Amino acid sequence: MKTIKNKLALALIAAGLSFSVTAADLKLGYASDPVSLDPHEQLSGGTLQLSHMVFDPLVRFTQKMDFEPRLAQSWERIDANTFRFTLRQGVKFHSGNPLTADDVIWTFNRLQASPDFKAIFEPYSEMKKIDDYTVDIISKGAYPLVLQTATYIFPMDSKFYSGKTADGKDKAEVAKHGNSFASTHMSGTGPFTVTQREQGVKVEFTRFAGYWDTASEGNVDTITLLPIKEDATRVAALLSGGVDMIDHVAPNDHQRLKSADGVDLVTLPGTRLISFQMNQNRNEALKDVRVRQAIVHAINNQGIVKKIMKGFATAADQQSPVGYQGHDSELVPRYDVKKAKQLMKEAGYEKGFSLTMLAPNNRYVNDAKIAQATAAMLSKIGIKVDLKTLPKAQYWPEFDKCTADMLMIGWHADTEDSANLTEFLTMTRNEKTGKGQYNCGFYSNPEVDQLVTAANVETNPAKRAVMLKQVEATLYNDAAFVPLHWQSTAWGARSNVHAAAVVNSMEQPYFGDLVVDEK
């Protein structure tokens, strides 16, 4: 708490004036920091967290997974292919420019051109301006997930991001892992501005005085995000008072936080799928479905959940968690070493073979330990694994190039819908549409592609569920990937930080609404 603010509060109270909420400063100990300030450069949790802090979406999810209006104050379906959004008036960007329909359309067009985001927006043909505060988003056919899509439209300041830099580059350029204008400059409508950034050291945010949401109870004035890679170090920083809130509390540390004074453990069941992809383009053996099935049978994912995750996850057998359209309760985990060895023999690999494995060591809960356990399990069926783990910042450039035979990937469905998992992780790679953007297994099945494409224009939930169940069964039988578990989520916070009110299953706390009591 800043001393000057406390003095101001005392002065107001002495004068008989109300001062119900004191502005607060917050220090976050996060496993990593955003790789860029460009909201369209990388489709990742870190980027989306940054977007909720500095920008604002048209619509966002509540904790109960309902939709609530943000920059779009209302919406309505006009016809089968047309959805209309009415924008809030009087909203200002950090630059001072007013938000209008032109900014929303400019952002939509940029999303359609972004390598990472274009697959989400591929179902749409265009966005049209009706007037300065009304836009229509038009799909190529009937589309059931328009509001889910709208949670990814964080309007950017089109005037701020238009034009040329001093060295003649387009300010609107999306540069993957590059150094573009948008990767180092920001102008959003959100609750915070970025005032200082040292990659890998800290990011400082300051409350935007002109923030449109005056009804928000949030009282955080400044945020300092400190990337702290090691789980134990983050916990120690919280317990010592060095930070006020941390993410990704490892299962081994849950009891430690529960028993500590002045600290709360905040947990939510998660739907993020942790899996391995098997790169058929790099290793000839992985093209054989029997080898892929052997690998799936060799990995005891239920044991990983019990021993490594301490029960803080659910063993996966498919992409879709319970509750998603497409989840098939008939599919079960298949750990069976004897069966795995038999499959290897049938495929002609009774003596095994070697493969390379790549995993992050600071992105998912216990990611490096999970990779090590997986490698040990594969050794039991004669597969010799050369494992390499990397920090998140170095991992993603390597993943994007699919530089190993097996690669770990975690995915939370962007639209809270199982088709999204398939679109990014197991559909045939297509640079034009963005489908299969993160399919480093290079798995390709026309039946899966056709089913998901049909499901994405099917507005009858029952019919759609049948299609998506068929997708899951096909992926299961083809051993298209190695399912590990659905990761639960946990944060730690000082007891004066009302974290439980702003966290969500998307793992993107709405810090603009966070209330912190005076210490």
Side-chain angles (χ1 to χ4, degrees):
M1 221 63 65
K2 291 181 178 178
T3 303
I4 190 170
K5 292 170 186 170
N6 291 333
K7 290 181 177 179
L8 175 60
L10 291 172
L12 289 170
I13 292 170
L17 300 176
S18 173
F19 193 86
S20 58
V21 180
T22 303
D25 304 318
L26 185 76
K27 287 186 178 180
L28 294 176
Y30 262 43
S32 58
D33 57 348
V35 298
S36 171
L37 298 185
D38 186 343
H40 299 162
E41 183 177 324
Q42 184 181 78
L43 180 51
S44 67
T47 295
L48 293 168
Q49 178 67 81
L50 180 73
S51 296
H52 278 289
M53 296 169 77
V54 181
F55 296 87
D56 258 314
L58 293 183
V59 179
R60 77 182 183 189
F61 285 107
T62 66
Q63 286 184 324
K64 295 181 179 180
M65 302 309 294
D66 296 322
F67 296 104
E68 65 176 340
R70 297 304 290 167
L71 295 184
Q73 65 180 14
S74 62
W75 50 82
E76 61 177 322
R77 182 174 285 281
I78 303 300
D79 57 44
N81 293 12
T82 308
F83 214 90
R84 178 166 294 172
F85 291 97
T86 301
L87 306 178
R88 294 185 187 278
Q89 298 187 28
V91 176
K92 297 285 187 180
F93 286 103
H94 300 156
S95 67
N97 293 328
L99 168 73
T100 70
D102 294 330
D103 300 298
V104 179
I105 294 172
W106 186 92
T107 302
F108 173 83
N109 292 336
R110 192 172 189 262
L111 283 161
Q112 285 199 310
S114 163
D116 272 27
F117 285 84
K118 64 183 177 182
I120 295 177
F121 293 88
E122 192 275 333
Y124 303 101
S125 58
E126 63 179 322
M127 181 179 276
K128 286 185 176 180
K129 178 179 178 179
I130 305 304
D131 57 41
D132 282 348
Y133 296 100
T134 310
V135 296
D136 283 353
I137 186 169
I138 301 169
S139 55
K140 298 172 184 176
Y143 187 57
L145 305 175
V146 177
L147 287 176
Q148 286 90 336
T149 302
T151 66
Y152 289 88
I153 302 177
F154 292 84
M156 298 174 70
D157 187 343
S158 61
K159 292 179 180 178
F160 177 84
Y161 289 101
S162 295
K164 301 288 185 180
T165 63
D167 56 357
K169 292 184 178 180
D170 182 5
K171 289 184 177 180
E173 175 191 11
V174 179
K176 189 77 171 176
H177 308 302
N179 186 24
S180 64
F181 176 84
S183 71
T184 53
H185 298 77
M186 302 186 86
S187 178
T189 61
F192 301 101
T193 62
V194 174
T195 51
Q196 186 178 354
R197 177 174 180 253
E198 297 177 59
Q199 183 69 40
V201 179
K202 68 177 178 179
V203 186
E204 293 187 352
F205 301 85
T206 300
R207 192 84 176 186
F208 175 42
Y211 185 43
W212 65 269
D213 190 1
T214 56
S216 172
E217 296 181 355
N219 70 327
V220 175
D221 188 53
T222 66
I223 295 177
T224 301
L225 189 158
L226 301 168
I228 303 174
K229 172 185 170 182
E230 299 295 336
D231 294 341
T233 307
R234 285 197 306 281
V235 170
L238 177 65
L239 293 176
S240 69
V243 297
D244 303 299
M245 183 173 172
I246 61 174
D247 72 342
H248 296 155
V249 180
N252 287 342
D253 292 316
H254 286 191
Q255 190 55 48
R256 188 178 176 193
L257 293 190
K258 288 179 181 178
S259 61
D261 293 332
V263 171
D264 297 326
L265 178 69
V266 182
T267 62
L268 287 174
T271 56
R272 180 181 297 280
L273 174 71
I274 306 298
S275 65
F276 271 106
Q277 294 181 343
M278 296 173 280
N279 191 339
Q280 298 181 41
N281 276 14
R282 279 182 55 95
N283 194 312
E284 187 69 25
L286 298 177
K287 293 181 179 180
D288 192 317
V289 64
R290 293 167 298 184
V291 172
R292 299 197 304 272
Q293 289 174 341
I295 289 173
V296 171
H297 280 84
I299 297 173
N300 183 2
N301 56 351
Q302 291 175 310
I304 289 173
V305 166
K306 182 179 180 180
K307 294 184 178 180
I308 297 177
M309 299 299 292
K310 305 298 183 184
F312 193 62
T314 304
D317 37 51
Q318 59 194 290
Q319 295 179 134
S320 309
V322 174
Y324 274 31
Q325 278 192 339
H327 178 80
D328 188 344
S329 59
E330 297 295 315
L331 305 181
V332 296
R334 321 176 240 188
Y335 175 56
D336 186 335
V337 175
K338 184 178 179 180
K339 175 73 171 178
K341 289 180 178 179
Q342 180 62 36
L343 287 164
M344 289 285 282
K345 182 177 181 179
E346 292 174 8
Y349 291 97
E350 185 175 7
K351 295 183 179 179
F353 61 91
S354 298
L355 59 76
T356 57
M357 179 183 288
L358 191 64
N361 56 28
N362 68 340
R363 175 60 185 96
Y364 311 116
V365 177
N366 292 326
D367 41 18
K369 292 180 180 179
I370 292 166
Q372 291 161 5
T374 299
M377 292 170 185
L378 292 180
S379 70
K380 294 180 180 179
I381 61 169
I383 297 178
K384 183 179 179 181
V385 177
D386 178 10
L387 171 63
K388 183 178 182 180
T389 65
L390 295 170
K392 173 186 172 182
Q394 285 79 53
Y395 180 73
W396 290 119
E398 293 299 311
F399 183 95
D400 286 339
K401 293 182 288 187
C402 304
T403 58
D405 301 334
M406 286 184 67
L407 305 98
M408 182 182 287
I409 179 74
W411 199 265
H412 178 277
D414 303 304
T415 51
E416 300 302 323
D417 181 85
S418 66
N420 176 266
L421 288 148
T422 312
E423 286 174 314
F424 279 94
L425 302 179
T426 48
M427 280 187 75
T428 303
R429 288 177 72 102
N430 186 321
E431 290 186 9
K432 183 178 179 180
T433 64
K435 302 296 185 186
Q437 173 77 13
Y438 287 81
N439 178 3
C440 273
F442 291 91
Y443 171 81
S444 178
N445 187 323
E447 179 188 4
V448 169
D449 297 345
Q450 291 166 9
L451 281 168
V452 175
T453 300
N456 281 343
V457 295
E458 178 55 67
T459 56
N460 182 304
K463 291 181 179 179
R464 191 165 186 272
V466 170
M467 293 177 183
L468 295 177
K469 276 189 176 183
Q470 190 174 341
V471 167
E472 293 291 6
T474 301
L475 298 177
Y476 186 90
N477 292 330
D478 284 351
F481 66 101
V482 181
L484 293 174
H485 54 262
W486 294 291
Q487 176 183 292
S488 297
T489 60
W491 295 263
R494 305 296 300 174
S495 296
N496 66 315
V497 177
H498 294 254
V502 299
V503 300
N504 50 59
S505 62
M506 286 78 67
E507 301 181 50
Q508 298 144 30
Y510 299 150
F511 288 112
D513 296 332
L514 179 64
V515 173
V516 177
D517 295 335
E518 188 171 359
K519 295 178 182 178

